[in-house]
C-alpha cells in the first residue's frame, strides 16, 4: 500500500473537541511512555482510502456558518432569548451600587 497515491479523510476535522482531547490524551501517554515529549505537538489523523478520488476534510467554515443560519429569522431561538432578556429590563448600563471590595489578606 502506497500512501502517496491514495487519498485520505482528515479525521481530526470530523471530531468534536471532547473526542479529540480523548484521543490526544491516549497518544500523549503512549509517546511519554517511550520518552518523547509531545506537549508542543499538533495531532493530525489521516484515514487512507484507496477508493477516494480526493482528500476529504470537514469544512469548519461550513459547520460554523450552519450554526448561525436563521439567526435573522424572528422566530428562531436567538430572537426568543433576546426578547426574553429585553422583557426582563436588563440593560448593559445597569451597575450594582451595593458592590464593595474587601482585601482578603486583611480577613
Amino acid at each position: 500500500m502506497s500512501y502517496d497515491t491514495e487519498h485520505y479523510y482528515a479525521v481530526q476535522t470530523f471530531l468534536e473537541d471532547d473526542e479529540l482531547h480523548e484521543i490526544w490524551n491516549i497518544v500523549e501517554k503512549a509517546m511519554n511512555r517511550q520518552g518523547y515529549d509531545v506537549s508542543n505537538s499538533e495531532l493530525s489523523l489521516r484515514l487512507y482510502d484507496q477508493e477516494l478520488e480526493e482528500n476529504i476534510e470537514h469544512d469548519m467554515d461550513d459547520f460554523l456558518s450552519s450554526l448561525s443560519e436563521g439567526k435573522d429569522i424572528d422566530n428562531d431561538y436567538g430572537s426568543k432569548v433576546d426578547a426574553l432578556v429585553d422583557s426582563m429590563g436588563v440593560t448593559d448600563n445597569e451597575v450594582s451600587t451595593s458592590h464593595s471590595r474587601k482585601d482578603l489578606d486583611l480577613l
Side-chain angles (χ1 to χ4, degrees), residues 57-106:
E57 184 171 322
H58 182 63
D59 188 355
M60 289 306 291
D61 290 336
D62 286 344
F63 173 71
L64 294 174
S65 65
S66 72
L67 292 177
S68 63
E69 286 179 4
K71 295 293 183 201
D72 55 346
I73 299 173
D74 288 338
N75 62 358
D76 76 325
Y77 180 76
S79 295
K80 291 177 182 177
V81 170
D82 290 342
L84 177 62
V85 170
D86 290 342
S87 72
M88 295 169 61
V90 177
T91 67
D92 292 334
N93 297 330
E94 287 185 21
V95 177
S96 172
T97 57
S98 63
H99 177 75
S100 61
R101 298 182 78 178
K102 293 190 185 251
D103 188 346
L104 296 179
D105 292 332
L106 299 175

